[in-house]
């Protein structure tokens, strides 16, 4: 699922609204280890253009315990 999420985020990265929507969906479907990997990857790949979105979404997201 991690690779699928990366593919989708890359494909929708042209639109900030779609990007945020798909990022939120990805966070709901991934396990904790995959979440950490996705967060690292997102900041490496998209921080330049979507820093605010990444900060907001990752700060709001708290995985179920």
């Amino acid at each position: 699922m991690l690779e699928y999420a990366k593919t989708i985020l890359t494909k929708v990265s042209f639109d900030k609204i779609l990007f945020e929507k798909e990022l939120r969906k990805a966070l709901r479907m991934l396990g904790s280890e995959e979440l950490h990997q996705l967060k690292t990857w997102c900041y490496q790949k998209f921080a330049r253009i979507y820093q605010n979105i990444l900060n907001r979404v990752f700060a709001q997201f708290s995985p179920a315990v």
Side-chain angles (χ1 to χ4, degrees), residues 1-11 37-38 41:
M1 290 309 276
L2 176 60
E3 291 306 315
Y4 176 75
K6 288 179 180 181
T7 300
I8 296 299
L9 289 170
T10 300
K11 287 184 179 188
Q37 292 175 20
L38 181 66
W41 178 82

Side-chain angles (χ1 to χ4, degrees), residues 4 10 12-13 31-33 36 41 46 50 54 56 58 64-65:
Y4 176 75
T10 300
V12 300
S13 64
S32 62
E33 179 56 35
H36 178 69
W41 178 82
F46 299 112
Y50 291 137
L54 295 173
R56 181 175 61 247
F58 284 111
V65 182

Side-chain angles (χ1 to χ4, degrees), residues 4 19 21 25-27 29 32 37 44 49 53 58 64-65:
Y4 176 75
F19 181 84
K21 179 182 174 184
K25 282 173 39 177
L27 294 180
M29 67 183 188
S32 62
Q37 292 175 20
Q44 289 173 350
I49 56 174
I53 290 173
F58 284 111
V65 182

Side-chain angles (χ1 to χ4, degrees), residues 22-53:
E22 292 300 329
L23 178 58
R24 289 180 184 280
K25 282 173 39 177
L27 294 180
R28 289 192 303 265
M29 67 183 188
L30 296 176
S32 62
E33 179 56 35
E34 289 178 320
L35 285 175
H36 178 69
Q37 292 175 20
L38 181 66
K39 182 177 181 179
T40 301
W41 178 82
C42 282
Y43 275 98
Q44 289 173 350
K45 186 151 177 91
F46 299 112
R48 188 174 54 81
I49 56 174
Y50 291 137
Q51 180 80 41
N52 291 338
I53 290 173

